[in-house]
Amino acid sequence: MRTIPVKTASADYPVYVGRGLFAQVSRHIQISATRSAYIVTSPEIWALWGKKFLAAFPRDRQPTVLFLPAGERHKRLSQVERLAVELAQAGADRSSILIAFGGGIIGDLAGFLTAIFMRGIDYIQVPTTLLAQVDSSVGGKTGVNLATGKNLIGSFHHPTAVFADIDLLQTLPDRELRAGLFESIKAGIIRDATLFRFMEQNVDKILARDPAALERVIVASIRMKAQVVGLDERESGLRMILNYGHTLGHAIEVATDYRKLLHGEAIAWGMLAALQIASARKTVGPDQARRIEQTLRAYGPLPGFRSTPAKLLAAAGRDKKNRAGIRRFILPKGIGNAIVVEDLSDAELDAAIHWTLSRAR
Ligand SMILES: NC(=O)c1ccc[n+]([C@@H]2O[C@H](COP(=O)([O-])OP(=O)(O)OC[C@H]3O[C@@H](n4cnc5c(N)ncnc54)[C@H](O)[C@@H]3O)[C@@H](O)[C@H]2O)c1
Ligand SMILES: [Zn+2]
């Protein structure tokens, strides 16, 4: 088991990466007469892993299980309220602890629930998708979607620990695995050239879920994120680079109603689009651009989608990174580094959108 510490201004907690971590989760939670535990998961994940997970808890100290239906369209405030009612009815109080057992949707929503339930209770993350392990479970961002955009309601609320169990990925569909790998490629592009090179050179091994290769990718991705979040918890500067590919990626998700693409796939399109701008501005050279595009495509195929430039532009305009009318945009700077630019022109954004739409059809 590997331990990666996350140290921010407001929180300090471990991320554990390894195989067969359920017993450690139970030990960490310490259910007692005065501390009750609740699990938020989805019926699908629970059918696969529930029995095994519960078996790690003492028979007379079992957590209560609550369900959230799968799918981005359920990452909404109405579900937070429903689950809060269920928590209250089940007797949860300030000292209760919640386990978010699922992918990024469950982690984001359950994390937000614990941020506001009785003004805040403890929770831990047990991410079950690769995307959640390498990205969403670390860093304390929690929240839900509005009809007008992703994650527009939320809060910073860190878990007390994260348990990234690689065994859980055995049941993950291939497409979900690849979607998570796109966020790891992003981690490499923006801050870890060694990780990028490893992913570039070990495509087959990683896609075949070789445990050692996966562990290496997961540990490096988490390390990168922990470091960035430690330096800039509230996204006033550096943390923005984590959003490489996300301005247009989020716009694509909104424009396709969250139905057509997985988050990681939309972000991969967003990274390719931003890469065009980076190439034109020469923040990446032709050889670097080719390697980035080839590596993203190697972990594909990227499903296509249809939209209009106007729709994507409007959705991109609502980006949370924009402040006081300034449009912020992340560009890779070579491989292993990224910059935030504030002078992106309409023409540049328009060209990137047209490039993407012509290839995504
Ligand atoms: N908070 C953050 O910093 C942050 C960062 C990145 C993404 N996110 C959010 O994460 C969400 C996407 O997360 P995701 O990609 O994990 O999607 P997800 O939570 O929808 O899970 C993907 C699918 O995989 C299934 N699944 C999960 N674990 C499984 C397993 N072990 N075996 C078999 N099937 C399994 C789920 O039932 C679901 O259908 C988005 O809402 C995104 O906004 C948040
Ligand atoms: Zn993302």
Side-chain angles (χ1 to χ4, degrees):
M1 186 175 78
R2 305 280 284 270
T3 308
I4 302 149
V6 181
K7 284 188 174 47
T8 74
S10 69
D12 191 336
Y13 56 96
V15 180
Y16 302 107
V17 183
R19 307 183 64 182
L21 301 180
F22 289 178
Q24 332 264 2
V25 176
S26 153
R27 210 166 304 137
H28 177 91
I29 299 271
Q30 297 280 351
I31 301 178
S32 68
T34 53
R35 176 169 240 202
S36 53
Y38 300 83
I39 298 171
V40 173
T41 188
S42 75
E44 291 80 3
I45 297 165
W46 201 243
L48 293 165
W49 292 99
K51 240 191 189 158
K52 260 198 177 148
F53 192 54
L54 284 185
F57 290 84
R59 216 176 260 211
D60 57 337
R61 297 268 191 265
Q62 293 272 305
T64 302
V65 188
L66 309 176
F67 291 103
L68 178 72
E72 189 79 44
R73 68 185 176 284
H74 297 295
K75 192 176 153 184
R76 298 298 290 270
L77 216 44
S78 54
Q79 295 287 344
V80 176
E81 183 172 1
R82 176 185 61 79
L83 286 167
V85 169
E86 289 184 16
L87 275 181
Q89 283 171 342
D93 59 29
R94 297 285 315 261
S95 67
S96 298
I97 183 164
L98 190 143
I99 304 164
F101 189 72
I105 292 177
I106 285 171
D108 279 15
L109 186 141
F112 183 56
L113 169 64
T114 62
I116 58 174
F117 185 75
M118 298 196 173
R119 298 200 182 81
I121 64 170
D122 284 349
Y123 77 114
I124 65 160
Q125 294 269 17
V126 183
T128 64
T129 64
L130 182 68
L131 183 129
Q133 295 192 351
V134 300
D135 190 359
S136 63
S137 66
V138 177
K141 275 193 186 179
T142 70
V144 294
N145 302 326
L146 290 181
T148 48
K150 276 194 53 112
N151 305 327
L152 288 183
I153 290 187
S155 140
F156 284 97
H157 185 50
H158 291 275
T160 59
V162 180
F163 295 85
D165 190 332
I166 295 169
D167 285 348
L168 285 164
L169 304 179
Q170 285 163 4
T171 54
L172 195 65
D174 268 334
R175 194 177 159 200
E176 295 287 349
L177 184 85
R178 285 188 266 109
L181 289 168
F182 291 128
E183 295 272 13
S184 288
I185 298 172
K186 177 201 78 182
I189 296 170
I190 61 174
R191 212 172 155 84
D192 186 346
T194 310
L195 169 62
F196 180 85
R197 206 171 312 115
F198 182 75
M199 294 192 72
E200 183 181 36
Q201 292 171 352
N202 292 278
V203 179
D204 294 342
K205 245 191 190 167
I206 292 167
L207 286 177
R209 305 177 195 220
D210 174 84
L214 268 187
E215 180 166 324
R216 180 158 171 186
V217 168
I218 294 168
V219 167
S221 309
I222 294 174
R223 215 171 250 148
M224 188 286 303
K225 183 148 188 199
Q227 208 186 63
V228 169
V229 167
L231 291 166
D232 176 23
E233 180 178 16
R234 297 279 160 146
E235 199 168 311
S236 50
L238 178 68
R239 188 167 178 171
M240 282 182 207
I241 67 167
L242 298 177
N243 290 310
Y244 170 46
H246 282 59
T247 301
L248 287 169
H250 279 168
I252 292 167
E253 287 187 286
V254 172
T256 53
D257 242 357
Y258 302 114
R259 278 166 208 272
K260 187 89 183 112
L261 300 175
L262 300 178
H263 174 71
E265 293 168 344
I267 268 45
W269 276 116
M271 286 192 276
L272 287 173
L275 185 62
Q276 307 313 307
I277 299 172
S279 291
R281 286 195 177 207
K282 299 194 169 46
T283 67
V284 296
D287 188 52
Q288 293 166 327
R290 185 189 51 74
R291 285 175 61 203
I292 291 174
E293 173 151 10
Q294 268 179 8
T295 304
L296 285 168
R297 300 257 185 217
Y299 288 89
L302 281 178
F305 64 92
R306 280 170 189 278
S307 186
T308 63
K311 249 188 172 172
L312 285 182
L313 204 58
R318 283 192 295 266
D319 200 80
K320 286 200 294 310
K321 286 178 292 306
N322 300 331
R323 277 168 211 159
I326 296 171
R327 182 194 282 147
R328 293 199 162 84
F329 202 82
I330 319 305
L331 296 176
K333 187 164 185 285
I335 292 175
N337 200 357
I339 50 169
V340 184
V341 299
E342 299 188 339
D343 62 344
L344 187 78
S345 69
D346 288 344
E348 283 177 295
L349 194 55
D350 214 46
I353 285 174
H354 276 93
W355 182 94
T356 310
L357 285 172
S358 73
R359 273 156 189 85
R361 260 183 306 189

